[in-house]
Amino acid sequence: MAQSSYRPSVHPVAIISRQFCAPYPVDLTIASKLLTINKGDFTATDVNGNVMFRIKGRFFTLHGRHILLDAARNPMLTFQHKILTAHKRWQVFRGDTTAEKDLLFSVKKSSLIQFKTQLDVFLAGNTNEDVCDFKIKGSWGDRSCTIYLGNTLTIIAQMHKNNIIGRDRFAVTVYPNVDYAFIVALVVVLEEIHDDRHRHIGPALAP
């Protein structure tokens, strides 16, 4: 459940679209379908059980590609694992494409060896990557992670986990004025970065 008080962002945090920025906290459940041929299928539902987004998983692809669909099953985002990287970098593109011009943001581990989850998120325009645009910190084992605006203490979303048979469920609270489609995308990338113990895609070379 959402907390009772928040510190809303002064300006909307709209990465996918401002239409996904609500003036109130948004509670979502992201459920991973564990028993599917396409490893990495997810659904994101609201508090009433309505499907807000669907994420179609990879099907034996080198880049582990995913597609995020809206409720009407229109493609919104494409996720792609960037091979030959040392920090488990994922790239997220607008629409059903991986063209460089459509890159929205990328996510990578803050360091190679981690005892706690710490990821850096860089928007496409942040080519120098001196400072991250968003930071994810927490314990992936407990599925207790917090998403911050840059390197500040400003929280924009929080997540935790609960389980039922056949599914892995992530409860996510998105703070007011924050793009909840963007937060769903980050949670999916979180899952993929940490769910690599059953697959090994190429050698790690580049940053």
Side-chain angles (χ1 to χ4, degrees), residues 7-24 123 134 149 154 156 174-180 182-183:
R7 181 194 295 177
S9 248
V10 176
H11 303 289
V13 178
I15 307 304
I16 313 304
S17 173
R18 289 189 68 148
Q19 77 180 81
F20 301 117
C21 296
Y24 47 82
L123 298 179
F134 303 91
L149 185 62
T154 301
I156 61 171
V174 184
Y175 280 32
N177 300 327
V178 175
D179 185 335
Y180 54 85
F182 172 59
I183 299 302

Side-chain angles (χ1 to χ4, degrees), residues 186-199:
L186 291 183
V187 173
V188 172
V189 173
L190 259 170
E191 164 75 2
E192 288 304 306
I193 285 178
H194 290 84
D195 184 32
D196 63 355
R197 58 189 177 274
H198 298 304
R199 66 183 189 275

Side-chain angles (χ1 to χ4, degrees), residues 78-114:
T78 297
F79 305 75
Q80 176 176 277
H81 176 243
K82 188 176 181 181
I83 61 174
L84 305 180
T85 61
H87 291 263
K88 304 295 183 184
R89 183 184 290 263
W90 278 77
Q91 296 173 307
V92 180
F93 302 82
R94 187 179 298 280
D96 187 10
T97 178
T98 55
E100 197 64 29
K101 66 181 179 62
D102 294 311
L103 179 67
L104 284 174
F105 62 92
S106 62
V107 185
K108 71 178 184 68
K109 284 187 174 183
S110 302
S111 59
L112 285 174
I113 300 175
Q114 297 187 351

Side-chain angles (χ1 to χ4, degrees), residues 4 9 14 22 40 45 49 51 60 86 96 107 118 122 139 183-184 189 194 202:
S4 58
S9 248
T45 55
V51 174
F60 303 117
D96 187 10
V107 185
Q118 189 165 161
F122 299 98
S139 169
I183 299 302
V184 169
V189 173
H194 290 84

